[in-house]
Amino acid sequence: MTKPLLARVPALLSSLLFALALWLFVAMSKRYVATFNIPTSVKMEQATQAVRAGLPKQVEVKLSGEGWKILAFYLSRAEWTLDLANELRKSTLFIETTPTAAQYIKPLPEGLTVLDVQPALLTIDLEKKVTKTVPLRLAQTIVPASGFVITDYRLTPDSVTISGAVSLVEAIDSCEAFPQSTALRGNFSTRAIVVDSFFPYLSVSPKSVALSGTADKLAQIELVDIPIELRDAPPTQAVTLIPNKLKLTIGGAVSDLELLRPDHVTVQVSYNDIVADTTGALQPKVILPQRLRLLRQYPEQLQYILRR
């Protein structure tokens, strides 16, 4: 009894898939109304003018058409594209969006009808287009893998070119990029995406840059008998520090710790702090080379004898 039922399973599945495909074909052949928010963009490669104000980041478009056409429009990633190549003298553009939608929506599949676009009227201010190269910097700290630390990095290229309205471009001194990878270790190479915070008003090139560098392993080292310097003490005053040396535990990248010597570390106490102190104990100031950090010190506080 079981074997005949199992033998019929492929036929049942085929019938089910055929019925589903037939239903989908009939449903998608009907006409529907759908609303989309599509981004705006500006083409100004061959233009002498650029947008200064008045263009929203997106417009709302209501469409009517067959389900297949609406699906194709959704998958096409359409944009409301403003081409400024032919705008040579105008300082302001007035665009009635619904009547002219077919001129600006790219791509717009044949068979779709644009019912409405909001905002209904765009008032776009234009200005002379200029181009400028600005330095690039990271917008956030690079995140290494656990137990690692970033010792160096570089962006290639380290600058980007921006184009747009002169009043907007002149106000920009630099651009930012976001690293696309985390948990980096060893010699790494990844990408950083340039932040296009002025879109669609400005054009930025390139859109991404190479980010490379080194993430070294973290370690720690202990230095003993590091002398303490007394600063700004007048020659007529005698100060005895107790103790006059410290034991330090320092953390950082293996490559940095390998180069560390005791004379690279400075421990200081200010005479002015001793005079102002009312507790009889002071916290010394420890100065370390770049990228290294103090994990522990012994003792944590110093005592002193001040002879006036």
Side-chain angles (χ1 to χ4, degrees):
M1 185 71 178
T2 305
K3 288 185 178 180
L5 286 175
L6 292 176
R8 295 172 59 187
V9 168
L12 290 173
L13 289 176
S14 298
S15 299
L16 180 62
L17 291 175
F18 176 77
L20 181 62
L22 183 61
W23 173 83
L24 183 63
F25 176 79
V26 173
M28 294 297 285
S29 297
K30 295 180 180 179
R31 293 189 67 84
Y32 297 91
V33 174
T35 301
F36 299 92
N37 289 316
I38 63 173
T40 60
S41 65
V42 180
K43 290 182 63 176
M44 52 182 168
E45 291 83 359
Q46 308 300 322
T48 59
Q49 296 201 101
V51 174
R52 185 184 64 82
L55 183 64
K57 289 189 175 182
Q58 61 183 21
V59 294
E60 182 183 273
V61 180
K62 182 183 290 187
L63 300 168
S64 172
E66 292 182 356
W68 297 109
K69 300 290 186 180
I70 291 178
L71 178 62
F73 180 81
Y74 172 76
L75 297 175
S76 68
R77 296 184 178 181
E79 295 180 332
W80 181 281
T81 303
L82 179 63
D83 190 346
L84 296 177
N86 297 322
E87 303 298 340
L88 303 177
R89 296 186 179 87
K90 295 179 181 178
S91 60
T92 304
L93 296 179
F94 299 97
I95 301 175
E96 294 183 0
T97 53
T98 301
T100 61
Q103 177 183 344
Y104 295 100
I105 299 177
K106 309 293 182 182
L108 182 62
E110 185 178 353
L112 287 181
T113 302
V114 178
L115 302 178
D116 184 53
V117 179
Q118 292 296 326
L121 176 66
L122 297 179
T123 303
I124 301 172
D125 295 330
L126 303 181
E127 200 173 60
K128 178 185 176 182
K129 186 186 84 169
V130 296
T131 299
K132 177 182 178 181
T133 300
V134 297
L136 192 62
R137 56 187 176 86
L138 286 180
Q140 65 182 35
T141 303
I142 305 172
V143 180
S146 178
F148 286 76
V149 62
I150 303 297
T151 56
D152 71 88
Y153 72 88
R154 56 203 161 272
L155 296 169
T156 309
D158 59 1
S159 61
V160 293
T161 301
I162 55 176
S163 298
V166 59
S167 61
L168 300 180
V169 171
E170 287 182 346
I172 299 174
D173 295 322
S174 64
C175 283
E176 295 182 329
F178 277 96
Q180 292 302 289
S181 300
T182 58
L184 300 170
R185 63 181 67 201
N187 295 322
F188 62 85
S189 180
T190 181
R191 302 293 296 179
I193 303 300
V194 179
V195 180
D196 197 356
S197 56
F198 300 95
F199 182 85
Y201 291 90
L202 299 181
S203 170
V204 180
S205 179
K207 302 294 185 183
S208 69
V209 298
L211 171 61
S212 57
T214 303
D216 204 351
K217 285 186 176 181
L218 283 170
Q220 62 183 44
I221 191 173
E222 190 173 89
L223 300 179
V224 297
D225 295 336
I226 303 299
I228 303 172
E229 299 178 5
L230 178 63
R231 301 189 60 190
D232 304 322
T236 58
Q237 298 294 330
V239 180
T240 301
L241 299 175
I242 307 173
N244 61 356
K245 295 180 180 180
L246 288 185
K247 180 170 70 174
L248 306 175
T249 302
I250 300 170
V254 170
S255 57
D256 290 332
L257 293 176
E258 289 175 344
L259 301 175
L260 181 65
R261 299 198 306 267
D263 58 354
H264 294 162
V265 179
T266 302
V267 181
Q268 298 176 343
V269 172
S270 171
Y271 175 79
N272 295 328
D273 291 340
I274 293 176
V275 173
D277 178 59
T278 59
T279 64
L282 290 175
Q283 178 75 36
K285 180 180 181 182
V286 179
I287 303 174
L288 299 175
Q290 187 178 7
R291 295 200 301 262
L292 298 181
R293 59 193 182 94
L294 180 65
L295 301 179
R296 290 181 298 277
Q297 70 178 49
Y298 181 81
E300 293 187 359
Q301 290 185 319
L302 304 177
Q303 294 180 326
Y304 56 88
I305 299 175
L306 175 61
R307 299 180 179 88
R308 298 181 183 275

